[in-house]
Each structure stands twice: as structure tokens, then as C-alpha cells.
Amino acid sequence: MQLHLSSWPEIEAYLATSKAILIPIGSTEQHGPNGLLGTDALCPEIIARRAGDEAGILVGPTFNVGQAQHHMAFPGTITLRPSTMIAAMLDWSQSLTRHGFERIYWLNGHGGNIATITAAFSEMYHGVTFGEPGSNRPPLRCMLRNWWELGGVMDLCRQLFPVGEGSHATPSEVSVTYFGYPEAQKRVEMTPKIAPNGPIYDAEDYRRRFPDGRIGSDPSQASVEAGGKIVAAAVRAVIGEFRSFAAS
Ligand code: NI
């Protein structure tokens, strides 16, 4: 069930049965020569929508631009400053709690978002902690899960891609997007086959160290078939975890 494809009476009816919602959250940033700019937003969205269809979970709109400052030397990348992202996440959560939602499960697709998402949770809880005494507002609870850390997913990715998984523009994440959007596949020869590893600083330095955008990976191994396997494992895990969180 997707919020933006529902009517308000449907959301009102859903709220009578559950106070929990899943929000995919990611980034719009370069993902190497054959990876889609939307990869980090598309991966959690693809997984969430399938989980929503299978288990009746309400899935909100994707928060699809995040912390991508160090990718700004590559065209197409869009970034938010941390304060903007925190403010926007706060507005999203306050809108949802206004309607009665009490549990927001954020399914994240971008490692660079983690620190800011955690800071945003503190901003959200600030309103609850320092709200008017006696207002008896139900406590909002948020949960952050990176999709690649869902139970069983990382092991499966290592089995599928024992060499060249790397840490940015990985064959696993590119496979998930190819599974979701097979028409957007790109075949590109990678030179070198496996990209270099190293530290991340700011945008220009990043492009000097990692000229085609990849870090440690060989995403030319990506396939629709592998993506289907990863998505199936992630959907299973997210349904179980969302249900226990909703009941917490
Ligand atoms: Ni990514």
C-alpha cells in the first residue's frame, strides 16, 4: 500500500488498524559508469514497495535526496546540507504524527545519510521530551535500517559477488535497480576492472581518487537475476522487522 496512491479515507482506515509507516530514504548521486543516479533512493523504494504489496505495509513517498556532498564533482548529483535534511525530516514526521502515526520506519539506502538521520531523530524526539507537560502526546518512535543490513542480505551479496563488491557503486545495489528497472540497464567496460579503495574527503578530492566514481567495486557484474534474489531476501526481512517495530 503506497501513501501517494491512496485516498485520505483509505489512510484514515489504515490508521484505525496501524500507527506505523515505512519511509524509504536515500540519495540522488553518481553511482559510477553504469549505476543510476537514483540508486540509493531506488533500492529502498523497490524493496519497500514489494514489502508493502505483500504485507499491507503503508509505504510513504521516498525521501530521495540526501547527503551527497562528496559526489558533487559528478554531474547529476543533488545534495542537501545536513541542517536542511534534518528540517525536512522533522516536517515530514510532524505531518505524519499530526494524523496519528506513532512509528516511522526509515529504510535507508545511503551510508552517508546515517549521521544526519540519527541527528534528525533527536530533533523529532526533542519535541516530545520538551512538549507541554500533561499534553499526553503519544511518543513518536523512529527506526533506521540500512537495507543492506537487513537479516541475510549482506551474506547473500557476498555469495553473489565474492570479488569486487566494494563500497560504492556495488554490483549488489546496481543489481537491485536493474531488477526494478531492467530497461535502464547500461553495459559499460570497467577500467580498472576493480576500482581503487581509499578515504573520502570532499568533492574534488573524491573525483581525483576515484575518477569514475566507484570505490573498490566492479559493478559490471550486476544483473537483473542477482537483483531479484537480493530484493526477495530484503523483502522477507523487512516485513518481519517492520511488524515487530509496529507492535513495539
Ligand atoms: Ni549507493
Side-chain angles (χ1 to χ4, degrees), residues 40-218:
D40 284 355
L42 292 171
C43 289
E45 182 178 278
I46 289 163
I47 294 162
R49 288 188 179 170
R50 275 170 179 73
D53 290 346
E54 275 184 36
I57 292 168
L58 180 62
V59 177
T62 302
F63 193 106
N64 61 6
V65 175
Q67 298 295 299
Q69 209 166 304
H70 53 281
H71 295 292
M72 283 307 297
F74 297 89
T77 301
I78 304 175
T79 192
L80 296 177
R81 68 191 73 190
S83 54
T84 311
M85 183 166 172
I86 291 168
M89 286 180 68
L90 183 62
D91 287 352
W92 282 44
S93 77
Q94 285 182 332
S95 302
L96 293 167
T97 53
R98 170 70 180 72
H99 304 309
F101 288 98
E102 296 174 7
R103 298 287 180 274
I104 310 178
Y105 180 107
W106 301 81
L107 185 62
N108 178 41
H110 176 48
N113 281 348
I114 296 170
T116 306
I117 292 174
T118 308
F121 287 0
S122 296
E123 279 289 344
M124 293 170 195
Y125 296 157
H126 186 278
V128 177
T129 307
F130 295 94
E132 279 174 46
S135 65
N136 210 17
R137 278 167 55 194
L140 168 68
R141 216 173 269 181
C142 284
M143 172 169 174
L144 164 64
R145 173 62 68 212
N146 302 313
W147 70 262
W148 58 91
E149 287 171 345
L150 285 162
V153 169
M154 196 106 76
D155 287 344
L156 176 61
C157 294
R158 281 198 202 102
Q159 276 168 32
L160 290 166
F161 305 110
V163 175
E165 171 69 356
S167 58
H168 183 69
T170 70
S172 294
E173 59 181 342
V174 173
S175 293
V176 169
T177 63
Y178 283 6
F179 171 72
Y181 296 90
E183 69 282 7
Q185 288 179 78
K186 296 159 210 321
R187 294 290 151 212
V188 181
E189 195 81 18
M190 300 288 161
T191 321
K193 190 87 180 124
I194 296 182
N197 275 299
I200 301 172
Y201 299 108
D202 209 347
E204 296 306 326
D205 178 77
Y206 183 109
R207 187 155 178 169
R208 270 194 299 276
R209 285 175 200 272
F210 314 108
D212 70 5
R214 301 173 291 148
I215 303 180
S217 65
D218 171 18

